[in-house]
Short mmCIF file of all heavy atoms in Angstrom, two decimals:
data_model
loop_
_atom_site.label_atom_id
_atom_site.label_comp_id
_atom_site.label_asym_id
_atom_site.label_seq_id
_atom_site.Cartn_x
_atom_site.Cartn_y
_atom_site.Cartn_z
N ASN A 471 22.63 39.82 -115.14
CA ASN A 471 22.99 39.71 -113.73
C ASN A 471 21.82 39.02 -113.04
O ASN A 471 20.68 39.26 -113.39
CB ASN A 471 23.19 41.13 -113.15
CG ASN A 471 22.94 41.22 -111.65
OD1 ASN A 471 21.88 41.69 -111.24
ND2 ASN A 471 23.86 40.79 -110.85
N HIS A 472 22.10 38.15 -112.07
CA HIS A 472 20.94 37.56 -111.38
C HIS A 472 20.45 38.48 -110.27
O HIS A 472 21.16 39.36 -109.81
CB HIS A 472 21.22 36.14 -110.91
CG HIS A 472 22.04 35.96 -109.67
ND1 HIS A 472 21.48 35.87 -108.42
CD2 HIS A 472 23.37 35.81 -109.48
CE1 HIS A 472 22.42 35.66 -107.52
NE2 HIS A 472 23.59 35.63 -108.13
N ARG A 473 19.20 38.28 -109.90
CA ARG A 473 18.54 39.20 -108.96
C ARG A 473 18.17 38.49 -107.66
O ARG A 473 18.13 39.09 -106.60
CB ARG A 473 17.27 39.72 -109.66
CG ARG A 473 16.56 40.85 -108.98
CD ARG A 473 15.23 41.09 -109.67
NE ARG A 473 14.31 39.97 -109.51
CZ ARG A 473 13.96 39.12 -110.48
NH1 ARG A 473 14.39 39.26 -111.72
NH2 ARG A 473 13.15 38.10 -110.22
N ASP A 474 17.90 37.20 -107.74
CA ASP A 474 17.50 36.44 -106.56
C ASP A 474 18.68 36.29 -105.60
O ASP A 474 19.83 36.23 -106.02
CB ASP A 474 17.03 35.05 -106.97
CG ASP A 474 18.17 34.20 -107.56
OD1 ASP A 474 18.72 34.60 -108.60
OD2 ASP A 474 18.54 33.19 -106.93
N ALA A 475 18.37 36.22 -104.31
CA ALA A 475 19.41 36.07 -103.29
C ALA A 475 18.96 35.02 -102.28
O ALA A 475 17.76 34.81 -102.10
CB ALA A 475 19.64 37.40 -102.57
N TRP A 476 19.91 34.39 -101.60
CA TRP A 476 19.51 33.45 -100.54
C TRP A 476 18.79 34.19 -99.43
O TRP A 476 17.82 33.71 -98.88
CB TRP A 476 20.72 32.69 -100.00
CG TRP A 476 21.17 31.61 -100.93
CD1 TRP A 476 22.38 31.49 -101.54
CD2 TRP A 476 20.39 30.48 -101.36
NE1 TRP A 476 22.40 30.36 -102.33
CE2 TRP A 476 21.20 29.72 -102.24
CE3 TRP A 476 19.09 30.03 -101.11
CZ2 TRP A 476 20.75 28.54 -102.85
CZ3 TRP A 476 18.64 28.86 -101.73
CH2 TRP A 476 19.47 28.14 -102.57
N VAL A 481 25.81 42.06 -101.55
CA VAL A 481 26.91 41.86 -102.49
C VAL A 481 26.48 40.90 -103.59
O VAL A 481 26.58 41.22 -104.78
CB VAL A 481 28.16 41.32 -101.75
CG1 VAL A 481 29.21 40.85 -102.75
CG2 VAL A 481 28.74 42.40 -100.84
N ASP A 482 26.04 39.71 -103.17
CA ASP A 482 25.66 38.65 -104.11
C ASP A 482 24.18 38.50 -104.15
O ASP A 482 23.59 37.88 -103.26
CB ASP A 482 26.34 37.35 -103.68
CG ASP A 482 26.00 36.18 -104.58
OD1 ASP A 482 25.39 36.40 -105.65
OD2 ASP A 482 26.32 35.04 -104.21
N PRO A 483 23.50 39.03 -105.18
CA PRO A 483 24.00 39.60 -106.42
C PRO A 483 23.64 41.06 -106.62
O PRO A 483 23.86 41.60 -107.69
CB PRO A 483 23.19 38.80 -107.44
CG PRO A 483 21.81 38.79 -106.81
CD PRO A 483 22.04 38.72 -105.32
N ASN A 484 23.05 41.72 -105.59
CA ASN A 484 22.36 42.96 -105.92
C ASN A 484 23.28 44.16 -106.08
O ASN A 484 22.87 45.18 -106.65
CB ASN A 484 21.23 43.23 -104.94
CG ASN A 484 20.15 42.15 -105.04
OD1 ASN A 484 19.80 41.49 -104.09
ND2 ASN A 484 19.65 41.93 -106.26
N GLU A 519 19.26 31.98 -109.91
CA GLU A 519 20.66 31.62 -110.18
C GLU A 519 21.20 30.79 -109.05
O GLU A 519 21.95 29.84 -109.25
CB GLU A 519 21.50 32.90 -110.36
CG GLU A 519 22.94 32.64 -110.81
CD GLU A 519 23.93 32.45 -109.68
OE1 GLU A 519 23.56 32.53 -108.49
OE2 GLU A 519 25.11 32.19 -109.97
N GLU A 520 20.82 31.18 -107.82
CA GLU A 520 21.39 30.52 -106.64
C GLU A 520 21.08 29.03 -106.61
O GLU A 520 21.88 28.23 -106.15
CB GLU A 520 20.89 31.19 -105.35
CG GLU A 520 21.36 32.63 -105.16
CD GLU A 520 22.87 32.77 -105.01
OE1 GLU A 520 23.59 31.76 -105.12
OE2 GLU A 520 23.34 33.90 -104.78
N VAL A 546 27.61 40.00 -114.86
CA VAL A 546 28.11 40.48 -113.58
C VAL A 546 27.26 39.79 -112.53
O VAL A 546 26.05 39.62 -112.70
CB VAL A 546 28.07 42.02 -113.47
CG1 VAL A 546 26.65 42.56 -113.62
CG2 VAL A 546 28.67 42.50 -112.16
N ASP A 547 27.91 39.31 -111.47
CA ASP A 547 27.17 38.62 -110.40
C ASP A 547 27.50 39.33 -109.10
O ASP A 547 26.80 40.26 -108.71
CB ASP A 547 27.57 37.13 -110.41
CG ASP A 547 26.83 36.31 -109.37
OD1 ASP A 547 26.31 36.89 -108.41
OD2 ASP A 547 26.79 35.07 -109.49
N VAL A 548 28.60 38.95 -108.44
CA VAL A 548 29.11 39.72 -107.32
C VAL A 548 29.71 40.99 -107.91
O VAL A 548 30.87 41.02 -108.31
CB VAL A 548 30.15 38.90 -106.53
CG1 VAL A 548 30.87 39.76 -105.52
CG2 VAL A 548 29.46 37.74 -105.83
N GLY A 616 29.54 28.60 -112.14
CA GLY A 616 29.14 29.24 -110.91
C GLY A 616 28.40 30.53 -111.15
O GLY A 616 28.01 31.19 -110.21
N SER A 617 28.19 30.90 -112.40
CA SER A 617 27.33 32.04 -112.67
C SER A 617 26.73 31.92 -114.07
O SER A 617 26.97 30.97 -114.80
CB SER A 617 28.06 33.36 -112.47
OG SER A 617 27.10 34.41 -112.36
N ASP A 618 25.93 32.95 -114.43
CA ASP A 618 25.02 32.82 -115.57
C ASP A 618 25.66 32.86 -116.95
O ASP A 618 24.96 32.72 -117.95
CB ASP A 618 23.94 33.91 -115.47
CG ASP A 618 23.07 33.73 -114.24
OD1 ASP A 618 22.48 32.64 -114.10
OD2 ASP A 618 22.98 34.67 -113.43
N TYR A 639 35.48 39.57 -97.93
CA TYR A 639 34.04 39.29 -98.00
C TYR A 639 33.79 37.94 -97.35
O TYR A 639 33.94 36.91 -97.97
CB TYR A 639 33.63 39.31 -99.48
CG TYR A 639 32.20 38.91 -99.81
CD1 TYR A 639 31.12 39.37 -99.07
CD2 TYR A 639 31.94 38.07 -100.89
CE1 TYR A 639 29.82 39.01 -99.40
CE2 TYR A 639 30.65 37.70 -101.25
CZ TYR A 639 29.59 38.18 -100.50
OH TYR A 639 28.31 37.82 -100.84
N TYR A 642 29.35 35.76 -97.44
CA TYR A 642 28.78 35.13 -98.63
C TYR A 642 27.66 34.14 -98.24
O TYR A 642 27.86 33.25 -97.42
CB TYR A 642 29.93 34.42 -99.34
CG TYR A 642 29.60 33.56 -100.52
CD1 TYR A 642 29.04 34.10 -101.68
CD2 TYR A 642 29.88 32.19 -100.51
CE1 TYR A 642 28.77 33.29 -102.78
CE2 TYR A 642 29.62 31.38 -101.61
CZ TYR A 642 29.06 31.93 -102.74
OH TYR A 642 28.80 31.13 -103.81
N HIS A 643 26.48 34.34 -98.84
CA HIS A 643 25.32 33.44 -98.69
C HIS A 643 24.82 33.30 -97.24
O HIS A 643 24.15 32.33 -96.92
CB HIS A 643 25.62 32.06 -99.28
CG HIS A 643 25.65 32.07 -100.79
ND1 HIS A 643 25.80 30.91 -101.54
CD2 HIS A 643 25.56 33.06 -101.69
CE1 HIS A 643 25.79 31.21 -102.83
NE2 HIS A 643 25.65 32.52 -102.95
ZN1 ZN B 1126 25.43 35.28 -107.21
#
Side-chain angles (χ1 to χ4, degrees):
N471 154 258
H472 78 91
R473 190 189 66 252
D474 66 297
W476 283 119
V481 169
D482 179 10
N484 296 124
E519 187 270 359
E520 294 296 4
V546 60
D547 181 340
V548 169
S617 197
D618 296 304
Y639 174 44
Y642 173 64
H643 288 185

